[in-house]
Amino acid sequence: MNIFFDLDGTLIDSRPRLYQLFQSLVLNSELSFHQYWDLKRDKISHKEILLSKFNYSNEQYNNFEKKWMSEIELEKWLQLDTPFEGIVDLLMRLSKNHSLFVVTARQSESTALSQIKSFGWENIFTKVLVTQQQQEKHSLIKDTVEITPEDWFIGDTGKDIQTGKLLGIRTAAVLSGFLSKKSLLPYQPDIIINTVLDLNIDKITNRKL
Ligand SMILES: [Mg+2]
């Protein structure tokens, strides 16, 4: 079967990158890492945070958003990303019997590919699918891979769960990323697990959830 993995927050911990970038763009922010992520995991958007806590105008917010998108994949920030511990062993094990894919909404395909290479993962995945913000994840998958209802999509956001559901495949939400359990529950994933490492492959393969 095919297993589709989101990248940020699912296979790698991108939280330090996002927090540090936020701090660098919002000079008077005294939010701690945990305070920032408590807000984000409750699905409070940057716009809400900046308008309510930092008195940003809409124009200031728009400038923030532009800078955010232009800096978020810069090498200096990407260097803060780290794979979740133990993930490579899991991926190696899974790749023996299944086709593994990364599906990410990153803007830059080349940067995503070189980051995956830097982790030594280049031979694990059948393909790395990067939307480059030109296409939705589900349509990119549909265009590239022949899917079956036994396949899985594993990700950390509501959008990831919606992607799996739009494709008619099974979905696992992980709590290692950008959203809390409370924020993910309304999307009704088939399973919710703390991290990808909690994926019980025998169970998912035998469809015993
Ligand atoms: Mg993600």
Side-chain angles (χ1 to χ4, degrees), residues 28-207:
N28 58 344
S29 167
E30 288 176 3
L31 288 178
S32 70
F33 178 85
H34 290 290
Q35 287 168 331
Y36 172 81
W37 277 109
D38 282 349
L39 293 167
K40 293 289 286 170
R41 285 171 64 78
D42 281 346
K43 268 192 102 180
I44 303 185
S45 67
H46 280 150
K47 187 168 188 177
E48 284 172 87
I49 295 170
L50 291 170
L51 267 61
S52 72
K53 288 189 182 299
F54 296 94
N55 292 318
Y56 270 43
S57 64
N58 278 313
E59 194 189 340
Q60 284 174 308
Y61 167 71
N62 289 339
N63 284 333
F64 165 89
E65 180 66 13
K66 259 183 231 148
K67 281 191 198 150
W68 179 272
M69 289 310 285
S70 69
E71 286 205 28
I72 185 76
E73 294 175 30
L74 290 182
E75 185 54 36
K76 68 169 176 173
W77 300 121
L78 285 166
Q79 278 180 1
L80 299 173
D81 288 350
T82 48
F84 288 113
E85 218 175 309
I87 208 121
V88 71
D89 292 340
L90 173 86
L91 294 173
M92 298 283 271
R93 244 183 310 128
L94 286 174
S95 69
K96 286 187 187 139
N97 299 308
H98 309 291
S99 300
L100 310 188
F101 296 83
V102 170
V103 189
T104 173
R106 292 272 186 92
Q107 302 164 75
S108 162
E109 184 173 41
S110 60
T111 311
L113 291 172
S114 69
Q115 192 181 30
I116 282 166
K117 202 171 172 198
S118 77
F119 298 141
W121 294 353
E122 68 268 35
N123 296 321
I124 293 177
F125 298 101
T126 304
K127 201 159 195 239
V128 175
L129 305 177
V130 184
T131 72
Q132 301 176 81
Q133 308 255 316
Q134 310 281 323
Q135 206 178 353
E136 295 288 343
K137 285 181 177 178
H138 65 90
S139 78
L140 180 57
I141 292 173
K142 228 177 203 164
D143 289 353
T144 322
V145 189
E146 206 168 307
I147 47 171
T148 74
E150 279 71 41
D151 296 345
W152 282 85
F153 195 101
I154 296 148
D156 68 316
T157 64
K159 196 116 202 206
D160 289 328
I161 304 312
Q162 287 170 338
T163 298
K165 290 189 180 287
L166 281 165
L167 293 166
I169 64 178
R170 294 173 291 173
T171 53
V174 293
L175 301 177
S176 54
F178 303 167
L179 290 181
S180 64
K181 189 170 188 177
K182 196 173 139 234
S183 304
L184 282 163
L185 271 171
Y187 297 96
Q188 299 185 301
D190 291 304
I191 55 170
I192 298 185
I193 48 182
N194 285 325
T195 77
V196 164
L197 296 173
D198 294 332
L199 263 185
N200 188 324
I201 293 318
D202 292 334
K203 272 193 183 172
I204 66 171
T205 313
N206 296 325
R207 307 198 71 171

